Amino acid sequence: MVDKTELILICLVAVALLAIVARKIRIPYPILLTIGGVVLALVPGLPAIHLDPQLVFNLFLPPLLYPAAVYTSWRDFRANLRSILPLAIVLVLLTMTPLLLSRSVSQWPP
């Protein structure tokens, strides 16, 4: 049986390999990582991975976000800001609204 630490290391190696493959075949790496996550979730007999959210924020997220931030074209970002800002605001509001409504209905936590 695979230990939890070994499983996390296998996942990190899989993320690195998928990012390299995505660069080679010239598709955005989040698409390939999503496909890899779905395939990993469908592997029979693989134990469920329950990770501490702090571990995800400290270990998995920075290597994914840093290259995107470094290689962002600020000229293109500024040129597309008119379409980025409304989408960001609307999507945040669409995410917050159901959470707010579910919290107000359940009154949890008191």
Side-chain angles (χ1 to χ4, degrees):
M1 193 67 180
V2 178
D3 186 31
K4 184 177 181 179
T5 306
E6 292 172 350
L7 195 55
I8 291 173
L9 289 175
I10 290 169
C11 288
L12 282 173
V13 170
V15 165
L17 291 175
L18 287 173
I20 292 169
V21 169
R23 184 176 296 159
K24 294 285 185 192
I25 60 176
R26 297 181 184 260
I27 64 168
Y29 68 91
I31 293 172
L32 203 57
L33 291 178
T34 302
I35 293 169
V38 168
V39 168
L40 190 64
L42 296 175
V43 171
L46 198 64
I49 303 173
H50 299 286
L51 296 176
D52 179 32
Q54 201 62 33
L55 178 70
V56 173
F57 285 130
N58 292 335
L59 187 64
F60 290 108
L61 222 45
L64 294 175
L65 294 178
Y66 183 75
V70 168
Y71 297 117
T72 296
S73 167
W74 291 106
R75 180 178 295 140
D76 292 342
F77 181 78
R78 196 170 289 129
N80 294 318
L81 199 57
R82 278 194 139 147
S83 60
I84 293 171
L85 279 177
L87 281 172
I89 292 169
V90 168
L91 292 175
V92 167
L93 291 174
L94 284 174
T95 304
M96 284 178 17
T97 303
L99 293 173
L100 178 66
L101 292 174
S102 67
R103 181 180 162 95
S104 66
V105 169
S106 69
Q107 295 297 324
W108 182 83

XYZ file of all heavy atoms in Angstrom:
855
model
N 0.842 -1.187 0.000
C 0.000 0.000 0.000
C 0.883 1.244 0.000
O 1.937 1.266 0.613
C -0.891 -0.039 1.247
C -1.996 0.949 1.225
S -3.156 0.486 -0.072
C -4.334 1.742 0.099
N 0.442 2.275 -0.669
C 1.206 3.506 -0.797
C 0.913 4.400 0.409
O -0.239 4.639 0.762
C 0.837 4.232 -2.112
C 1.592 5.524 -2.235
C 1.119 3.345 -3.307
N 1.990 4.898 1.023
C 1.867 5.795 2.160
C 1.400 7.177 1.673
O 1.571 7.527 0.506
C 3.226 5.902 2.857
C 3.182 6.691 4.141
O 2.132 6.659 4.817
O 4.200 7.335 4.480
N 0.823 7.958 2.584
C 0.306 9.276 2.217
C 1.422 10.190 1.713
O 1.249 10.907 0.725
C -0.399 9.915 3.415
C -1.041 11.233 3.112
C -1.790 11.780 4.305
C -2.443 13.104 3.983
N -3.183 13.629 5.121
N 2.577 10.141 2.355
C 3.703 10.975 1.929
C 4.168 10.572 0.530
O 4.447 11.438 -0.303
C 4.865 10.841 2.930
O 4.379 11.135 4.241
C 5.998 11.770 2.589
N 4.245 9.268 0.279
C 4.639 8.801 -1.043
C 3.624 9.217 -2.097
O 3.998 9.579 -3.217
C 4.793 7.288 -1.036
C 5.959 6.792 -0.210
C 5.964 5.287 -0.073
O 4.964 4.640 -0.455
O 6.969 4.756 0.429
N 2.362 9.180 -1.743
C 1.313 9.574 -2.681
C 1.415 11.066 -3.022
O 1.245 11.456 -4.175
C -0.059 9.245 -2.099
C -1.234 9.249 -3.046
C -0.996 8.318 -4.226
C -2.492 8.844 -2.317
N 1.713 11.886 -2.027
C 1.891 13.329 -2.271
C 3.095 13.555 -3.185
O 3.036 14.363 -4.118
C 2.027 14.092 -0.945
C 0.699 14.082 -0.197
C 2.490 15.520 -1.178
C 0.759 14.650 1.203
N 4.180 12.850 -2.941
C 5.362 12.990 -3.798
C 5.078 12.516 -5.224
O 5.532 13.132 -6.192
C 6.539 12.225 -3.201
C 7.138 12.831 -1.935
C 8.208 11.911 -1.364
C 7.702 14.204 -2.208
N 4.326 11.447 -5.361
C 3.941 10.971 -6.696
C 3.101 12.032 -7.410
O 3.292 12.288 -8.603
C 3.187 9.629 -6.594
C 4.150 8.518 -6.169
C 2.505 9.278 -7.908
C 3.469 7.215 -5.796
N 2.202 12.654 -6.674
C 1.375 13.714 -7.270
C 2.227 14.902 -7.706
O 1.998 15.481 -8.770
C 0.295 14.162 -6.293
S -1.025 12.974 -6.064
N 3.206 15.276 -6.891
C 4.098 16.381 -7.268
C 4.903 16.055 -8.521
O 5.062 16.899 -9.402
C 5.038 16.725 -6.108
C 4.443 17.545 -4.982
C 5.433 17.666 -3.835
C 4.029 18.913 -5.472
N 5.395 14.838 -8.603
C 6.138 14.425 -9.800
C 5.209 14.408 -11.017
O 5.595 14.846 -12.104
C 6.796 13.046 -9.574
C 7.356 12.483 -10.863
C 7.888 13.151 -8.522
N 3.981 13.934 -10.827
C 3.012 13.918 -11.934
C 2.710 15.334 -12.409
O 2.620 15.583 -13.614
C 1.730 13.210 -11.495
N 2.574 16.270 -11.482
C 2.323 17.672 -11.847
C 3.493 18.217 -12.655
O 3.309 18.881 -13.681
C 2.068 18.528 -10.585
C 2.178 20.008 -10.889
C 0.711 18.207 -10.003
N 4.715 17.933 -12.207
C 5.896 18.414 -12.930
C 5.967 17.814 -14.339
O 6.241 18.522 -15.315
C 7.157 18.079 -12.147
N 5.708 16.519 -14.443
C 5.758 15.873 -15.757
C 4.660 16.391 -16.682
O 4.903 16.616 -17.876
C 5.651 14.358 -15.605
C 6.860 13.669 -14.967
C 6.575 12.184 -14.764
C 8.102 13.867 -15.811
N 3.467 16.589 -16.141
C 2.377 17.107 -16.974
C 2.664 18.535 -17.437
O 2.321 18.906 -18.566
C 1.057 17.044 -16.216
C 0.461 15.649 -16.054
C -0.751 15.690 -15.137
C 0.088 15.058 -17.405
N 3.299 19.329 -16.588
C 3.658 20.691 -16.992
C 4.689 20.672 -18.111
O 4.617 21.474 -19.053
C 4.174 21.476 -15.789
N 5.646 19.751 -18.029
C 6.649 19.631 -19.096
C 5.997 19.175 -20.402
O 6.281 19.725 -21.470
C 7.766 18.661 -18.661
C 8.585 19.275 -17.525
C 8.665 18.300 -19.839
C 9.540 18.302 -16.859
N 5.108 18.197 -20.306
C 4.404 17.713 -21.504
C 3.554 18.829 -22.107
O 3.517 18.999 -23.331
C 3.542 16.476 -21.166
C 2.611 16.123 -22.310
C 4.434 15.301 -20.817
N 2.898 19.607 -21.255
C 2.064 20.708 -21.760
C 2.904 21.725 -22.514
O 2.473 22.263 -23.543
C 1.331 21.372 -20.592
N 4.094 21.995 -22.022
C 4.969 22.943 -22.715
C 5.416 22.381 -24.055
O 5.497 23.113 -25.049
C 6.176 23.268 -21.845
C 7.073 24.325 -22.472
C 8.212 24.711 -21.586
N 7.687 25.341 -20.377
C 8.358 25.428 -19.250
N 9.569 24.925 -19.164
N 7.830 26.014 -18.207
N 5.699 21.066 -24.090
C 6.158 20.443 -25.337
C 5.068 20.434 -26.406
O 5.353 20.635 -27.581
C 6.629 19.006 -25.088
C 7.851 18.896 -24.241
C 9.078 19.278 -25.011
C 10.298 19.033 -24.134
N 11.491 19.622 -24.675
N 3.818 20.163 -26.011
C 2.750 20.092 -27.009
C 1.996 21.420 -27.145
O 1.015 21.500 -27.869
C 1.775 18.934 -26.709
C 1.107 19.096 -25.351
C 2.479 17.611 -26.812
C 0.068 18.032 -25.055
N 2.483 22.429 -26.436
C 1.993 23.811 -26.562
C 0.504 23.965 -26.273
O -0.248 24.528 -27.076
C 2.317 24.372 -27.932
C 3.792 24.480 -28.202
C 4.049 25.077 -29.572
N 5.451 25.104 -29.866
C 6.217 26.188 -29.754
N 5.700 27.313 -29.366
N 7.487 26.116 -30.036
N 0.088 23.419 -25.129
C -1.262 23.698 -24.642
C -1.117 24.271 -23.231
O -0.109 24.020 -22.566
C -2.174 22.446 -24.633
C -1.659 21.398 -23.666
C -2.342 21.864 -25.995
C -2.657 20.299 -23.399
N -2.075 25.055 -22.779
C -1.976 25.602 -21.428
C -1.908 24.482 -20.388
O -2.698 23.532 -20.424
C -3.257 26.419 -21.282
C -3.684 26.729 -22.674
C -3.231 25.564 -23.501
N -0.966 24.595 -19.459
C -0.760 23.516 -18.498
C -1.942 23.285 -17.562
O -2.140 22.144 -17.134
C 0.543 23.718 -17.711
C 0.555 24.887 -16.777
C 0.170 24.748 -15.450
C 0.971 26.136 -17.197
C 0.180 25.813 -14.589
C 0.978 27.206 -16.347
C 0.596 27.044 -15.038
O 0.604 28.113 -14.194
N -2.778 24.292 -17.221
C -3.932 23.966 -16.371
C -4.889 22.963 -17.012
O -5.509 22.163 -16.315
C -4.616 25.318 -16.152
C -3.538 26.317 -16.314
C -2.652 25.749 -17.389
N -4.995 22.993 -18.325
C -5.874 22.042 -19.011
C -5.346 20.623 -18.826
O -6.094 19.705 -18.468
C -5.988 22.393 -20.513
C -6.727 23.722 -20.689
C -6.684 21.274 -21.284
C -6.730 24.242 -22.100
N -4.058 20.448 -19.034
C -3.465 19.119 -18.885
C -3.479 18.669 -17.427
O -3.685 17.490 -17.136
C -2.048 19.111 -19.447
C -1.504 17.769 -19.871
C -2.401 17.114 -20.908
C -0.106 17.917 -20.431
N -3.282 19.592 -16.486
C -3.335 19.232 -15.071
C -4.745 18.813 -14.663
O -4.916 17.895 -13.856
C -2.865 20.401 -14.205
C -1.381 20.745 -14.293
C -1.074 21.950 -13.419
C -0.517 19.572 -13.924
N -5.747 19.455 -15.219
C -7.125 19.081 -14.925
C -7.420 17.679 -15.461
O -8.009 16.842 -14.763
C -8.104 20.100 -15.535
O -7.798 21.394 -15.012
C -9.535 19.742 -15.218
N -6.995 17.420 -16.680
C -7.191 16.093 -17.259
C -6.445 15.045 -16.437
O -6.973 13.965 -16.147
C -6.738 16.071 -18.738
C -7.668 16.958 -19.580
C -6.696 14.661 -19.293
C -7.164 17.217 -20.986
N -5.217 15.357 -16.022
C -4.447 14.432 -15.191
C -5.115 14.181 -13.849
O -5.114 13.051 -13.351
N -5.715 15.213 -13.250
C -6.429 15.034 -11.988
C -7.650 14.155 -12.136
O -7.939 13.318 -11.270
N -8.364 14.314 -13.237
C -9.543 13.478 -13.476
C -9.117 12.028 -13.678
O -9.732 11.107 -13.126
C -10.343 14.002 -14.697
C -11.390 13.008 -15.135
C -10.970 15.346 -14.372
N -8.056 11.812 -14.450
C -7.557 10.448 -14.668
C -7.103 9.840 -13.343
O -7.403 8.679 -13.044
C -6.410 10.453 -15.707
C -5.682 9.126 -15.731
C -6.944 10.815 -17.081
N -6.406 10.626 -12.518
C -5.943 10.134 -11.224
C -7.113 9.788 -10.313
O -7.068 8.806 -9.575
C -5.048 11.184 -10.559
C -4.298 10.762 -9.315
C -3.300 9.667 -9.649
C -3.585 11.955 -8.711
N -8.173 10.568 -10.381
C -9.344 10.306 -9.548
C -10.074 9.034 -9.980
O -10.759 8.410 -9.169
C -10.299 11.495 -9.604
N -9.937 8.653 -11.236
C -10.639 7.488 -11.744
C -9.847 6.184 -11.624
O -10.343 5.129 -12.007
C -11.035 7.716 -13.206
C -12.030 8.860 -13.440
C -12.253 9.065 -14.932
C -13.332 8.596 -12.727
N -8.619 6.258 -11.098
C -7.812 5.045 -10.933
C -8.424 4.215 -9.813
O -8.557 4.680 -8.682
C -6.348 5.405 -10.604
C -5.557 4.165 -10.224
C -5.699 6.127 -11.764
N -8.819 2.973 -10.109
C -9.436 2.153 -9.066
C -8.412 1.704 -8.029
O -7.261 1.415 -8.346
C -9.999 0.955 -9.838
C -9.203 0.893 -11.086
C -8.759 2.294 -11.394
N -8.852 1.661 -6.782
C -7.998 1.187 -5.706
C -7.051 2.223 -5.141
O -6.351 1.955 -4.174
N -6.982 3.403 -5.730
C -6.120 4.453 -5.213
C -6.787 5.067 -3.990
O -7.966 5.411 -4.030
C -5.890 5.524 -6.289
C -4.715 6.451 -6.077
C -3.408 5.665 -6.104
C -4.694 7.512 -7.147
N -6.063 5.187 -2.891
C -6.703 5.729 -1.690
C -7.079 7.197 -1.872
O -6.445 7.918 -2.641
C -5.628 5.573 -0.612
C -4.342 5.487 -1.343
C -4.665 4.865 -2.677
N -8.123 7.599 -1.171
C -8.547 9.004 -1.219
C -7.488 9.870 -0.550
O -6.927 9.499 0.478
C -9.879 9.171 -0.504
N -7.211 11.000 -1.164
C -6.211 11.919 -0.621
C -6.950 13.036 0.098
O -7.714 13.778 -0.514
C -5.334 12.504 -1.740
C -4.668 11.399 -2.536
C -4.298 13.447 -1.165
C -3.923 11.886 -3.748
N -6.716 13.130 1.391
C -7.284 14.216 2.179
C -6.127 15.085 2.640
O -5.354 14.682 3.517
C -8.066 13.675 3.375
C -9.212 12.803 2.969
N -10.369 13.321 2.435
C -9.371 11.462 2.990
C -11.198 12.325 2.158
N -10.610 11.185 2.482
N -5.994 16.252 2.023
C -4.880 17.130 2.326
C -5.342 18.303 3.175
O -6.446 18.822 3.000
C -4.261 17.670 1.035
C -3.630 16.647 0.101
C -3.161 17.322 -1.170
C -2.489 15.944 0.783
N -4.467 18.720 4.050
C -4.709 19.922 4.837
C -4.697 21.111 3.878
O -3.782 21.236 3.052
C -3.603 20.057 5.888
C -3.752 21.288 6.751
O -4.903 21.690 6.995
O -2.714 21.829 7.191
N -5.686 21.994 3.946
C -5.710 23.144 3.034
C -4.437 23.988 3.104
O -3.985 24.518 2.094
C -6.925 23.948 3.490
C -7.802 22.955 4.164
C -6.887 21.950 4.781
N -3.847 24.095 4.284
C -2.617 24.876 4.420
C -1.478 24.240 3.620
O -0.657 24.940 3.045
C -2.243 24.986 5.899
C -1.338 26.137 6.213
C -1.966 27.472 5.906
O -3.166 27.657 6.022
N -1.159 28.417 5.475
N -1.448 22.916 3.564
C -0.440 22.213 2.771
C -0.614 22.522 1.287
O 0.369 22.755 0.584
C -0.541 20.702 3.016
C 0.414 19.827 2.213
C 1.832 20.021 2.710
C 0.001 18.380 2.306
N -1.842 22.552 0.837
C -2.106 22.867 -0.573
C -1.664 24.296 -0.882
O -0.988 24.544 -1.885
C -3.600 22.674 -0.907
C -3.909 23.158 -2.308
C -3.984 21.217 -0.746
N -2.005 25.232 -0.013
C -1.631 26.629 -0.245
C -0.123 26.839 -0.190
O 0.412 27.677 -0.912
C -2.306 27.546 0.774
C -3.761 27.759 0.498
C -4.695 27.598 1.501
C -4.214 28.120 -0.754
C -6.033 27.781 1.264
C -5.555 28.299 -1.009
C -6.465 28.132 0.002
N 0.570 26.093 0.645
C 2.005 26.300 0.798
C 2.867 25.455 -0.126
O 3.974 25.853 -0.468
C 2.426 26.017 2.249
C 1.871 27.039 3.203
O 1.573 28.160 2.837
N 1.723 26.633 4.451
N 2.377 24.294 -0.536
C 3.213 23.367 -1.294
C 2.822 23.261 -2.774
O 3.690 23.262 -3.641
C 3.157 21.978 -0.644
C 4.099 20.931 -1.202
C 5.549 21.340 -0.969
C 3.828 19.596 -0.543
N 1.540 23.176 -3.061
C 1.107 22.923 -4.437
C 0.838 24.200 -5.231
O 1.141 24.276 -6.415
C -0.161 22.053 -4.450
C 0.084 20.643 -4.022
C -0.371 20.187 -2.806
C 0.778 19.771 -4.829
C -0.152 18.889 -2.403
C 1.008 18.467 -4.442
C 0.550 18.029 -3.220
N 0.229 25.182 -4.612
C -0.192 26.371 -5.345
C 0.953 27.271 -5.815
O 0.925 27.733 -6.961
C -1.172 27.168 -4.489
C -2.383 27.750 -5.179
C -3.045 26.759 -6.105
C -3.357 28.304 -4.193
N 1.965 27.556 -4.999
C 3.033 28.454 -5.476
C 3.735 28.003 -6.748
O 3.940 28.826 -7.646
C 3.993 28.524 -4.279
C 3.129 28.277 -3.103
C 2.105 27.272 -3.566
N 4.093 26.707 -6.894
C 4.734 26.332 -8.161
C 3.807 26.461 -9.369
O 4.278 26.583 -10.496
C 5.131 24.864 -7.965
C 5.058 24.606 -6.528
C 4.109 25.591 -5.950
N 2.507 26.435 -9.153
C 1.573 26.592 -10.267
C 1.368 28.055 -10.625
O 1.227 28.410 -11.798
C 0.230 25.948 -9.921
C 0.231 24.432 -9.757
C -1.137 23.969 -9.292
C 0.630 23.761 -11.043
N 1.321 28.920 -9.620
C 1.013 30.321 -9.864
C 2.234 31.164 -10.238
O 2.114 32.119 -11.003
C 0.343 30.930 -8.633
C -1.027 30.375 -8.279
C -1.545 31.045 -7.020
C -1.994 30.552 -9.419
N 3.391 30.837 -9.698
C 4.570 31.662 -9.919
C 4.942 31.802 -11.400
O 5.137 32.914 -11.884
C 5.753 31.134 -9.106
C 6.976 31.986 -9.243
C 7.059 33.212 -8.599
C 8.045 31.587 -10.040
C 8.175 34.004 -8.732
C 9.162 32.373 -10.180
C 9.226 33.582 -9.525
O 10.327 34.372 -9.669
N 5.038 30.703 -12.159
C 5.393 30.886 -13.580
C 4.351 31.693 -14.349
O 4.706 32.467 -15.232
C 5.459 29.454 -14.132
C 5.621 28.577 -12.951
C 4.962 29.283 -11.818
N 3.093 31.527 -13.997
C 2.058 32.309 -14.676
C 2.235 33.791 -14.392
O 2.042 34.631 -15.278
C 0.679 31.840 -14.232
N 2.621 34.120 -13.171
C 2.831 35.528 -12.829
C 4.089 36.076 -13.477
O 4.107 37.225 -13.938
C 2.906 35.684 -11.311
N 5.133 35.280 -13.545
C 6.405 35.755 -14.107
C 6.294 35.974 -15.613
O 6.796 36.957 -16.141
C 7.538 34.758 -13.777
C 8.795 35.054 -14.574
C 7.842 34.792 -12.296
N 5.626 35.063 -16.291
C 5.570 35.140 -17.744
C 4.344 35.862 -18.286
O 4.065 35.800 -19.473
C 5.648 33.729 -18.340
C 6.950 33.053 -18.025
C 6.982 31.900 -17.258
C 8.147 33.574 -18.470
C 8.187 31.282 -16.944
C 9.346 32.967 -18.166
C 9.360 31.830 -17.411
O 10.542 31.231 -17.102
N 3.624 36.569 -17.425
C 2.472 37.344 -17.885
C 2.950 38.559 -18.668
O 3.824 39.293 -18.220
C 1.621 37.816 -16.686
O 1.101 36.679 -16.028
C 0.484 38.707 -17.126
N 2.379 38.758 -19.807
C 2.680 39.944 -20.596
C 1.830 41.086 -20.060
O 0.606 41.100 -20.210
C 2.361 39.696 -22.069
O 2.361 40.915 -22.778
N 2.499 42.043 -19.401
C 1.753 43.152 -18.809
C 1.107 44.031 -19.872
O 0.072 44.636 -19.638
C 2.653 43.964 -17.886
C 3.000 43.179 -16.665
C 4.190 42.597 -16.375
C 2.113 42.836 -15.590
N 4.106 41.919 -15.185
C 2.845 42.051 -14.686
C 0.781 43.105 -15.320
C 2.287 41.546 -13.520
C 0.234 42.611 -14.158
C 0.980 41.836 -13.272
N 1.691 44.064 -21.045
C 1.099 44.836 -22.139
C -0.236 44.207 -22.550
O -1.243 44.897 -22.708
C 2.053 44.873 -23.331
C 1.487 45.665 -24.505
C 2.475 45.732 -25.653
N 3.650 46.475 -25.238
C 4.899 46.158 -25.556
N 5.142 45.115 -26.319
N 5.911 46.881 -25.151
N -0.250 42.874 -22.698
C -1.497 42.180 -23.037
C -2.507 42.256 -21.893
O -3.700 42.403 -22.122
C -1.223 40.711 -23.369
C -0.450 40.539 -24.655
O -0.407 41.497 -25.459
O 0.120 39.452 -24.848
N -2.007 42.158 -20.666
C -2.894 42.251 -19.506
C -3.589 43.610 -19.476
O -4.795 43.699 -19.290
C -2.092 42.029 -18.216
C -2.920 42.088 -16.972
C -3.708 41.017 -16.593
C -2.918 43.220 -16.168
C -4.482 41.062 -15.453
C -3.679 43.279 -15.023
C -4.465 42.201 -14.660
N -2.817 44.662 -19.663
C -3.393 46.008 -19.657
C -4.348 46.200 -20.830
O -5.394 46.837 -20.690
C -2.274 47.038 -19.701
C -2.743 48.421 -19.323
C -1.594 49.400 -19.140
N -0.845 49.081 -17.936
C 0.467 48.940 -17.887
N 1.197 49.080 -18.981
N 1.080 48.671 -16.767
N -4.038 45.616 -21.982
C -4.901 45.740 -23.154
C -6.230 45.009 -22.941
O -7.264 45.440 -23.454
C -4.195 45.200 -24.389
N -6.217 43.922 -22.181
C -7.427 43.138 -21.947
C -8.095 43.437 -20.616
O -9.013 42.725 -20.215
C -7.093 41.639 -22.015
C -6.664 41.221 -23.391
O -7.258 41.636 -24.384
N -5.633 40.421 -23.465
N -7.656 44.464 -19.933
C -8.179 44.771 -18.610
C -9.679 45.064 -18.630
O -10.389 44.719 -17.688
C -7.410 45.947 -18.005
C -7.500 46.135 -16.511
C -7.038 44.883 -15.793
C -6.675 47.319 -16.072
N -10.169 45.649 -19.705
C -11.606 45.948 -19.804
C -12.459 44.694 -19.798
O -13.603 44.723 -19.343
C -11.899 46.738 -21.070
C -11.625 48.188 -20.935
C -12.267 48.868 -22.097
N -12.890 50.085 -21.639
C -12.971 51.166 -22.361
N -12.504 51.159 -23.589
N -13.546 52.235 -21.876
N -11.968 43.598 -20.316
C -12.735 42.360 -20.282
C -12.406 41.520 -19.044
O -13.248 40.752 -18.582
C -12.490 41.545 -21.557
O -11.135 41.221 -21.672
N -11.209 41.667 -18.492
C -10.815 40.884 -17.323
C -11.554 41.351 -16.073
O -12.081 40.526 -15.312
C -9.287 40.957 -17.107
C -8.564 40.251 -18.243
C -8.892 40.368 -15.764
C -7.061 40.447 -18.234
N -11.601 42.653 -15.841
C -12.217 43.164 -14.605
C -13.692 42.817 -14.459
O -14.098 42.325 -13.405
C -12.007 44.675 -14.497
C -10.652 45.101 -13.962
C -10.523 46.618 -13.959
C -10.402 44.543 -12.595
N -14.534 43.044 -15.471
C -15.946 42.655 -15.288
C -16.124 41.157 -15.058
O -16.940 40.749 -14.240
C -16.625 43.086 -16.592
C -15.741 44.100 -17.181
C -14.358 43.766 -16.725
N -15.348 40.337 -15.767
C -15.445 38.900 -15.556
C -15.039 38.527 -14.135
O -15.702 37.722 -13.479
C -14.566 38.151 -16.554
C -15.119 37.993 -17.956
C -14.057 37.399 -18.870
C -16.358 37.125 -17.944
N -13.966 39.110 -13.652
C -13.502 38.804 -12.301
C -14.543 39.221 -11.269
O -14.858 38.464 -10.347
C -12.170 39.499 -12.034
N -15.088 40.399 -11.415
C -16.060 40.890 -10.441
C -17.342 40.062 -10.490
O -17.855 39.631 -9.453
C -16.353 42.384 -10.692
C -15.096 43.199 -10.371
C -17.534 42.861 -9.863
C -15.153 44.635 -10.822
N -17.848 39.804 -11.683
C -19.100 39.045 -11.811
C -18.921 37.619 -11.295
O -19.777 37.099 -10.572
C -19.591 39.051 -13.275
C -20.692 38.047 -13.489
C -20.052 40.447 -13.665
N -17.807 36.973 -11.613
C -17.606 35.595 -11.172
C -17.412 35.499 -9.659
O -17.882 34.544 -9.038
C -16.429 34.968 -11.913
C -16.663 34.741 -13.404
C -15.402 34.226 -14.072
C -17.827 33.801 -13.644
N -16.768 36.481 -9.068
C -16.641 36.497 -7.603
C -18.016 36.681 -6.971
O -18.363 35.995 -6.001
C -15.658 37.589 -7.149
C -15.760 37.826 -5.649
C -14.237 37.217 -7.519
N -18.814 37.578 -7.515
C -20.152 37.783 -6.973
C -21.027 36.539 -7.162
O -21.811 36.190 -6.272
C -20.814 39.003 -7.613
C -20.198 40.352 -7.219
C -20.842 41.477 -8.017
C -20.330 40.594 -5.735
N -20.894 35.868 -8.310
C -21.666 34.641 -8.539
C -21.233 33.516 -7.603
O -22.024 32.628 -7.293
C -21.521 34.180 -9.990
C -22.325 34.964 -11.011
C -21.988 34.499 -12.422
C -23.812 34.831 -10.748
N -19.997 33.534 -7.170
C -19.529 32.534 -6.217
C -19.964 32.882 -4.800
O -20.359 32.006 -4.027
C -17.993 32.420 -6.276
O -17.612 32.118 -7.611
C -17.483 31.346 -5.339
N -19.904 34.162 -4.470
C -20.244 34.588 -3.105
C -21.731 34.481 -2.811
O -22.114 34.165 -1.685
C -19.816 36.047 -2.885
C -18.358 36.222 -2.686
S -17.828 37.940 -2.488
C -19.272 38.852 -2.109
N -22.571 34.740 -3.783
C -24.011 34.790 -3.539
C -24.578 33.470 -3.025
O -25.271 33.465 -2.002
C -24.740 35.249 -4.812
O -24.219 36.527 -5.204
C -26.223 35.360 -4.575
N -24.317 32.329 -3.664
C -24.856 31.073 -3.099
C -24.295 30.763 -1.710
O -25.014 30.239 -0.860
C -24.428 30.000 -4.096
C -24.040 30.705 -5.317
C -23.662 32.092 -4.945
N -23.038 31.108 -1.491
C -22.463 30.874 -0.165
C -23.141 31.734 0.887
O -23.454 31.275 1.986
C -20.958 31.144 -0.180
C -20.133 30.188 -1.015
C -18.693 30.641 -1.085
C -20.219 28.790 -0.463
N -23.384 32.983 0.546
C -24.060 33.883 1.469
C -25.481 33.415 1.743
O -25.936 33.402 2.894
C -24.072 35.301 0.907
C -24.792 36.357 1.723
C -24.060 36.594 3.038
C -24.914 37.636 0.948
N -26.185 33.006 0.694
C -27.557 32.539 0.869
C -27.611 31.253 1.690
O -28.482 31.108 2.560
C -28.220 32.324 -0.492
C -28.483 33.594 -1.299
C -29.005 33.238 -2.674
C -29.435 34.511 -0.573
N -26.692 30.337 1.441
C -26.703 29.094 2.217
C -26.341 29.355 3.674
O -26.889 28.730 4.569
C -25.743 28.075 1.613
O -24.409 28.510 1.757
N -25.473 30.294 3.914
C -25.113 30.632 5.291
C -26.267 31.321 5.997
O -26.532 31.050 7.165
C -23.876 31.506 5.316
C -23.446 31.866 6.714
C -22.210 32.750 6.685
N -22.044 33.436 7.933
C -21.285 33.013 8.917
N -20.628 31.900 8.770
N -21.178 33.706 10.024
N -26.971 32.204 5.312
C -28.074 32.915 5.953
C -29.257 31.976 6.217
O -29.984 32.153 7.187
C -28.533 34.097 5.103
O -29.091 33.639 3.890
N -29.422 30.959 5.402
C -30.514 30.001 5.613
C -30.192 29.076 6.772
O -31.045 28.774 7.606
C -30.770 29.201 4.309
C -31.692 28.030 4.571
C -31.346 30.093 3.241
N -28.950 28.609 6.838
C -28.615 27.616 7.860
C -28.212 28.258 9.183
O -28.214 27.594 10.202
C -27.472 26.732 7.354
O -26.287 27.485 7.272
N -27.834 29.519 9.183
C -27.376 30.220 10.381
C -26.241 29.476 11.065
O -26.210 29.320 12.285
C -28.561 30.423 11.362
C -29.641 31.322 10.842
C -29.127 32.738 10.610
O -28.301 33.250 11.342
N -29.623 33.379 9.566
N -25.293 28.989 10.258
C -24.158 28.282 10.828
C -22.873 28.999 10.445
O -22.743 29.411 9.305
C -24.101 26.869 10.304
C -22.981 26.083 10.887
C -22.951 25.438 12.072
C -21.692 25.878 10.303
N -21.749 24.848 12.258
C -20.946 25.100 11.183
C -21.078 26.300 9.122
C -19.649 24.727 10.948
C -19.794 25.912 8.881
C -19.092 25.137 9.786
N -21.924 29.155 11.262
C -21.924 28.922 12.701
C -22.683 30.032 13.416
O -22.825 31.124 12.883
C -20.452 28.931 13.084
C -19.769 29.753 12.042
C -20.589 29.564 10.771
N -23.137 29.742 14.634
C -23.973 30.725 15.361
C -23.230 31.982 15.717
O -22.093 32.063 15.819
C -24.410 29.985 16.605
C -23.645 28.719 16.673
C -22.971 28.515 15.364
